[in-house]
Amino acid sequence: MKSTESAEELRKIAAAINRIANRLVVEDEKPVTLETVMAALVERSQNGYTAQVRALLKKYGALKLTDVDPNDYADILAEAEDINDSG
């Protein structure tokens, strides 16, 4: 495995751990709502990350946020936060 592949794999693992940690924190708080996720995705889209937002929705089998399973909102929100960090 090349070092760039190793680094990418480590990034993926770190992102997965981050999502799990965020979900644990969210479970102790109020559930993540459609409106909260929508606001985060709109912000990312307005900041030039429209392609990444669309790819994120597609990853969850949706063309639009209202097609996403509400049980995935916390994960999507966590991944949307990563969009700002990693572009």
Side-chain angles (χ1 to χ4, degrees), residues 9-62:
E9 189 64 26
L10 287 174
R11 280 190 208 91
K12 288 179 183 179
I13 292 168
I17 291 169
N18 187 37
R19 285 192 299 278
I20 292 167
N22 285 339
R23 177 171 265 183
L24 292 174
V25 170
V26 169
E27 287 176 357
D28 290 339
E29 300 173 0
K30 295 184 288 184
V32 177
T33 64
L34 172 69
E35 292 78 15
T36 302
V37 178
M38 188 175 299
L41 295 181
V42 166
E43 179 184 350
R44 273 46 174 205
S45 185
Q46 289 174 342
N47 287 333
Y49 299 108
T50 302
Q52 291 89 335
V53 168
R54 287 185 181 149
L56 179 57
L57 291 174
K58 185 176 180 181
K59 176 179 176 180
Y60 286 87

